[in-house]
Amino acid sequence: MAHHEVLSPLPGTFYRRPAPDADVFAKEGATVKAGDVIGLVEVMKQFSEVQADVGGKVVRFLVENEDAVEPGQPLVVIETA
Amino acid sequence: MTVEIVKPGLATTIQDAGRPGYYNVGIPLSGALDQYSFRCANLLVGNDENAAVIECTLLAPELLFNVAAIVAVTGADATPRVNGTTAPRNESFAVQAGDKVTFDFMRLGARAYVAVAGGIDVPVILGSRSTYGLGAFGGFQGRKLAVGDKLPIGKPSAAAKAGRQLPAELAMPLPKETELRVVPGLYFHRITEASADNFFADTWAVAPEADRIGYRYKQGRPLQWRDRKQPFGAGSDPSNIVDAGYPYGSIQVPGGVEPIILHRDAVSGGGYAMIGTIISADMDKIAQMQPNYKARFVRVDMDAALAARAEYKARLDRVRKALA
């Protein structure tokens, strides 16, 4: 069991949902595959998808919905098998 | 003789020294937003310092070289990698045909410049190879780079070589907090004295929508305008004026809330009062500010602005000597 942090590739505003009234991309406790979208970062009026770079269980998110994030900032912890 | 775009990054464009001389007909300067780093990149690979380069914004692209080339990366702190192996910043290096160049995330700064010996050989339009996105001309097909684009490369000069290094003290500083110097005017008299004091006292954060057109700042106190009856032709909001030309670097504050500094792709005129203009020597600093980086505006007079410009030019001369 190893813990892996998914880092934000760029600065901006982090969103956990594709739309305000939609479900979150990934719930804590859920299982994700490498390449699954776990959130969006909005900057310069563009939304960029953040993908899990490993598969595993989502342990916890380290930032809240709509938090400002920096490049390289850890967003979520994934437990790899 | 091309470089191919494998992944485009966030807002990657071809830029050069810009397209001055057409602002009167609504065509802005364009050109590399950080002119200093842009020139350093060209000089590192033996190019004319005005050659066209690749400007990468916040998230850099992935490039596939279809030809051997000498390359240099300046500006934002995004480590380049050739086929996964770290390459230096602020130093020219060689790539072979078939090599893939990627970048780590931008630890500091907002714009990295990739110069290729020979320059990016896109057509010259109105004296420049720069992309003007709003006008959909210049650069590569008048737009941001997309997957599969093949950028033509010019012929390298005899001076192109790997291992040419920019001295560390001449690299572009990339602070998270900076001071931007402002010459007040042309509509500075429209805000109250107390409000002007607040403007210069407050710390302002870059808003996420800041781009090549304008850099928006937030978190300072709103401006208070002096009472007046709005003149004929001006909008009803006190931040409105009768339409006027917008200088490059001018600061407008729509609704008095969030200042916007007009950068190199800005429109040339409109109906917002400009309370001041960022001095030319500080415009490159803005180009390297990520969202949420902080700025304070510092009031200076024209003499100080001209002295800063002379200092900026002297620094560029030192770069030219160091990289000759």
Side-chain angles (χ1 to χ4, degrees):
Chain A
M1 295 294 203
H3 279 186
H4 173 86
E5 290 179 337
V6 179
L7 309 180
S8 179
L10 74 177
T13 307
F14 180 72
Y15 295 98
R16 283 192 59 189
R17 324 168 173 269
D21 53 354
D23 272 351
V24 293
F25 287 107
K27 287 196 174 76
E28 292 183 346
T31 303
V32 293
K33 301 187 302 293
D36 281 357
V37 176
I38 57 99
L40 300 172
V41 176
E42 182 192 14
V43 70
M44 289 168 60
K45 301 167 191 161
Q46 297 177 61
F47 290 89
S48 302
E49 291 181 344
V50 182
Q51 298 174 352
D53 42 2
V54 296
K57 193 178 119 189
V58 177
V59 179
R60 64 179 178 279
F61 276 83
L62 303 169
V63 291
E64 299 292 327
N65 195 49
E66 294 188 37
D67 271 3
V69 295
E70 289 187 288
Q73 184 173 335
L75 301 175
V76 59
V77 180
I78 294 177
E79 191 175 84
T80 56
Chain B
M1 296 286 278
T2 60
V3 179
E4 192 175 330
I5 304 299
V6 181
K7 284 188 188 170
L10 187 72
T12 308
T13 58
I14 306 302
Q15 300 293 343
D16 65 7
R19 188 176 284 118
Y22 302 97
Y23 220 26
N24 61 318
V25 288
I27 295 172
L29 276 177
S30 297
L33 226 52
D34 172 359
Q35 285 280 314
Y36 179 84
S37 297
F38 146 76
R39 286 166 200 275
C40 291
N42 272 324
L43 292 165
L44 283 167
V45 298
N47 282 353
D48 181 292
E49 70 180 63
N50 298 323
V53 305
I54 304 170
E55 178 178 272
C56 316
T57 310
L58 298 177
L59 182 70
E62 263 185 51
L63 309 171
L64 174 66
F65 282 79
N66 295 322
V67 62
I70 302 293
V71 177
V73 180
T74 63
D77 182 1
T79 303
R81 292 176 184 274
V82 181
N83 303 325
T85 304
T86 305
R89 294 172 54 240
N90 298 317
E91 179 180 337
S92 58
F93 57 89
V95 298
Q96 304 306 317
D99 280 353
K100 196 185 259 193
V101 174
T102 57
F103 297 86
D104 293 357
F105 53 76
M106 289 189 189
R107 274 181 293 271
L108 291 169
R111 285 179 177 79
Y113 292 88
V114 183
V116 181
I120 308 297
D121 192 17
V122 291
V124 174
I125 296 180
L126 296 175
S128 166
R129 292 184 168 87
S130 289
T131 312
Y132 175 40
L134 282 181
F137 68 86
F140 188 86
Q141 298 179 5
R143 58 166 170 78
K144 286 187 265 194
L145 299 178
V147 176
D149 286 348
K150 290 191 169 82
L151 311 175
I153 306 302
K155 194 175 175 304
S157 77
K161 62 167 186 182
R164 188 182 276 115
Q165 220 174 337
L166 183 68
E169 71 274 15
L170 289 176
M172 181 71 182
L174 302 167
K176 288 187 170 183
E177 286 193 47
T178 194
E179 291 190 342
L180 299 173
R181 289 166 287 185
V182 176
V183 176
L186 297 166
Y187 297 84
F188 187 69
H189 61 278
R190 291 281 303 109
I191 59 174
T192 65
E193 224 168 279
S195 187
D197 290 345
N198 294 346
F199 178 77
F200 291 116
D202 288 348
T203 298
W204 297 85
V206 175
E209 54 269 54
D211 62 13
R212 292 183 47 85
I213 301 163
Y215 250 69
R216 186 187 284 263
Y217 289 79
K218 55 186 187 176
Q219 293 177 11
R221 283 168 282 186
L223 299 185
Q224 304 300 320
W225 305 86
R226 290 178 198 271
D227 285 335
R228 73 164 176 179
K229 183 177 178 295
Q230 288 292 93
F232 176 76
S236 54
D237 189 275
S239 66
N240 288 138
I241 54 169
V242 177
D243 279 13
Y246 287 158
Y248 160 64
S250 62
I251 306 166
Q252 54 180 246
V253 194
V257 184
E258 293 179 342
I260 300 171
I261 300 168
L262 297 189
H263 223 303
R264 297 182 78 95
D265 279 359
V267 296
S268 53
Y272 286 115
M274 297 148 275
I275 60 165
T277 305
I278 302 292
I279 68 170
S280 58
D282 285 353
M283 290 300 286
D284 293 354
K285 293 187 195 173
I286 295 170
Q288 292 299 352
M289 296 187 79
Q290 291 183 6
N292 297 310
Y293 278 22
K294 307 280 192 289
R296 256 186 10 91
F297 297 111
V298 176
R299 183 177 183 163
V300 297
D301 61 15
M302 187 58 85
D303 287 343
L306 292 174
R309 178 186 289 183
E311 211 173 282
Y312 176 97
K313 287 183 173 167
R315 187 169 155 87
L316 257 182
D317 276 338
R318 281 164 60 207
V319 173
R320 291 182 188 113
K321 283 202 185 79
L323 301 182

